[in-house]
Amino acid sequence: IISPERLANTDFVENVLRPVANRVGLFVVDEAHCISDWGHDFRPDYKRIVSILQFLPANVPVLATTATANKRVTQDVAAQLGAVPKIFRGPVMRESLHLQSIVFPKRSQRLAWLADTVPKLEGTGIIYVATTRDADLVADWLKHCGIVAEAYYGNLKGLSADQNRAERLALEAALLNNQLKALVASSALGMGYDKPDLAFVIHFQSPGSVVSYYQQVGRAGRGIPKAYGVLLSGAEDDDIQSYFIENAFPKEALVEQILELLELAEGERGLTQGEIEQKANGRPKKITAAIKFLAAESPAPILIASTRPTRYQRTLPNYQLPHETIQRILEIKEKEWRSMQAYLQHRGCLMQFLVQELDDDATPACGKCVNCAPASALATTYRHETGLAAAEFMTNVVV
């Protein structure tokens, strides 16, 4: 059992995978939507799976599973895996979920609603945020209000890689063991985390697509008869998603600079990421994303020359970003964001809206969401004094 990121390690591929290739009886790809360029949670390293399949025996069965793939993603995954698949689709309706969406333009309004609502909810849950800054903001506010909560995101501040990994695992365990009322998380808390008795999933902002929202809100209520999925929406949502879409792919100037630096590197040692960061004109996070993107291209313009420390070398003499593919994917992301905005305004069954985005047109109305059963919905108000306290809290925070 490995993560696709391990496939970037040539030593691992050559010394671990290749020796056992002829003994593989079944090759399983979980969260297979990540293979697709337009899967909601695309991860470049999943692209490497296709090349791994090429040196497995031709008769090895391949099983690709996911809970969040519409027909377009399914077809793309099948095309990349190079076979005509047998497709099995199960029901995608979440029976226990009570869905609701509430528009609060100001962050302070959403903070006030959370402070008054979360303590009344049974069990524990996740509050998803769009940015790490908001993860800290919401977690600090909840703790200020006496609610046991912690922030969770990809790179927790001031920690080494090993410390960061340990801290994230500790936070996941704390939620799993009901030591927290809520974990305030970015999308980093996603695939692989399973807590069957999760009682609520609340979004502080809208995610970028309906399918992404379905994947995240569907973590609630897997093993209990009733759970809440509440989507809060704010005035900043559009700006956040525009930024994410605009920065979904590395900029051409940065790509050219990285490739030129590697080409000019002396000998066969290549450069470490730290050395690239010292010479390239870009923030470390963007350089990391660009390197991962380039290393996962096929054929790849860079390769990992060594792993201790990781060094990168230039390979192809000529490389250009796949502009047409990038433009097509960005247009799809824009369309998905418009669908997410339509969900906020939808007056029919909210569950039906979600599952139709997964190409399930046969699911009946859920009878539980705010539009099907208004009387069972959570209150959309908060106390005046809580609103004042939240506004005052915000004045002391740089947002």
Side-chain angles (χ1 to χ4, degrees):
I1 299 176
I2 63 169
S3 71
E5 284 75 13
R6 293 293 299 278
L7 303 180
N9 185 329
T10 52
D11 288 340
F12 179 81
V13 173
E14 291 297 325
N15 299 319
V16 178
L17 285 188
R18 282 188 181 274
V20 301
N22 62 356
R23 303 203 303 274
V24 173
L26 174 66
F27 191 90
V28 181
V29 183
D30 196 16
E31 309 292 1
H33 60 272
C34 294
I35 295 174
S36 172
D37 287 324
W38 40 71
H40 73 88
D41 198 12
F42 169 62
R43 287 159 67 186
D45 285 297
Y46 267 78
K47 289 282 192 182
R48 302 178 188 278
I49 292 172
V50 177
S51 61
I52 294 300
L53 292 177
Q54 294 173 359
F55 62 77
L56 292 180
N59 63 343
V60 171
V62 177
L63 174 65
T65 65
T66 177
T68 48
N70 54 22
K71 290 178 182 176
R72 182 182 68 236
V73 172
T74 301
Q75 291 167 356
D76 186 40
V77 171
Q80 293 199 47
L81 294 180
V84 179
K86 293 181 180 179
I87 298 176
F88 302 89
R89 289 179 62 92
V92 293
M93 182 174 181
R94 301 291 191 181
E95 297 284 352
S96 64
L97 272 182
H98 292 242
L99 296 173
Q100 184 173 357
S101 56
I102 310 171
V103 177
F104 286 129
K106 297 180 180 180
R107 281 182 171 90
S108 60
Q109 294 173 311
R110 279 168 274 152
L111 291 178
W113 183 87
L114 288 171
D116 280 357
T117 303
V118 169
K120 299 174 185 176
L121 298 175
E122 294 183 7
T124 61
I126 298 170
I127 300 172
Y128 276 108
V129 292
T131 68
T132 58
R133 183 176 55 188
D134 280 317
D136 287 326
L137 169 72
V138 175
D140 288 346
W141 163 251
L142 294 179
K143 286 188 278 191
H144 175 78
C145 296
I147 299 169
V148 184
E150 294 291 345
Y152 178 107
Y153 41 87
N155 293 299
L156 297 169
K157 295 175 182 176
L159 300 179
S160 68
D162 289 340
Q163 290 172 329
N164 185 71
R165 191 178 303 110
E167 180 63 18
R168 285 174 57 179
L169 289 172
L171 290 171
E172 292 173 17
L175 180 62
L176 195 65
N177 297 323
N178 299 320
Q179 296 168 323
L180 299 173
K181 181 66 178 179
L183 193 58
V184 185
S186 70
S187 59
L189 182 67
M191 295 183 298
Y193 187 76
D194 185 25
K195 177 174 166 59
D197 62 342
L198 202 68
F200 59 89
V201 167
I202 299 169
H203 281 71
F204 193 67
Q205 291 112 345
S206 298
S209 73
V210 172
V211 178
S212 180
Y213 178 65
Y214 171 88
Q215 190 263 347
Q216 291 176 347
V217 77
R219 300 199 171 282
R222 293 180 175 181
I224 53 178
K226 182 177 182 179
Y228 286 99
V230 183
L231 174 61
L232 305 181
S233 175
E236 76 274 15
D237 288 13
D238 198 56
D239 288 340
I240 289 174
Q241 292 306 323
S242 293
Y243 175 83
F244 285 159
I245 292 171
E246 183 182 340
N247 291 276
F249 293 92
K251 301 301 181 186
E252 190 161 26
L254 180 58
V255 166
E256 290 176 353
Q257 193 175 24
I258 291 172
L259 294 179
E260 183 178 359
L261 287 171
L262 291 174
E263 195 165 335
L264 294 174
E266 295 182 3
E268 299 182 358
R269 293 178 68 248
L271 296 175
T272 65
Q273 182 169 324
E275 291 169 339
I276 295 172
E277 290 174 3
Q278 289 175 3
K279 300 176 182 181
N281 183 23
R283 288 185 294 171
K285 189 173 182 180
K286 292 188 179 298
I287 292 173
T288 298
I291 289 173
K292 287 193 70 172
F293 178 86
L294 293 171
E297 283 279 79
S298 182
I302 67 176
L303 58 78
I304 297 176
S306 64
T307 57
R308 294 182 182 178
T310 301
R311 291 183 172 275
Y312 300 93
Q313 286 180 337
R314 182 81 160 90
T315 56
L316 298 177
N318 298 306
Y319 172 79
Q320 285 189 331
L321 283 171
H323 295 291
E324 291 184 7
T325 299
I326 289 174
Q327 185 58 37
R328 184 171 67 250
I329 295 169
L330 293 181
E331 289 172 358
I332 291 172
K333 287 181 178 293
E334 290 279 4
K335 182 180 178 181
E336 289 177 337
W337 174 233
R338 290 194 296 271
S339 295
M340 192 70 239
Q341 293 171 307
Y343 173 84
L344 279 168
Q345 308 300 327
H346 190 60
R347 295 293 172 261
C349 176
L350 294 179
M351 182 60 72
Q352 271 188 330
F353 190 104
L354 294 183
V355 300
Q356 284 172 358
E357 287 291 310
L358 290 164
D359 294 319
D360 180 352
D361 297 321
T363 296
C366 70
K368 297 175 181 178
C369 71
V370 64
N371 295 334
C372 290
S376 66
L378 297 174
T380 59
T381 57
Y382 50 83
R383 293 174 298 164
H384 178 66
E385 55 267 32
T386 310
L388 292 176
E392 182 179 357
F393 182 84
M394 287 292 297
T395 63
N396 299 318
V397 179
V398 178
V399 178

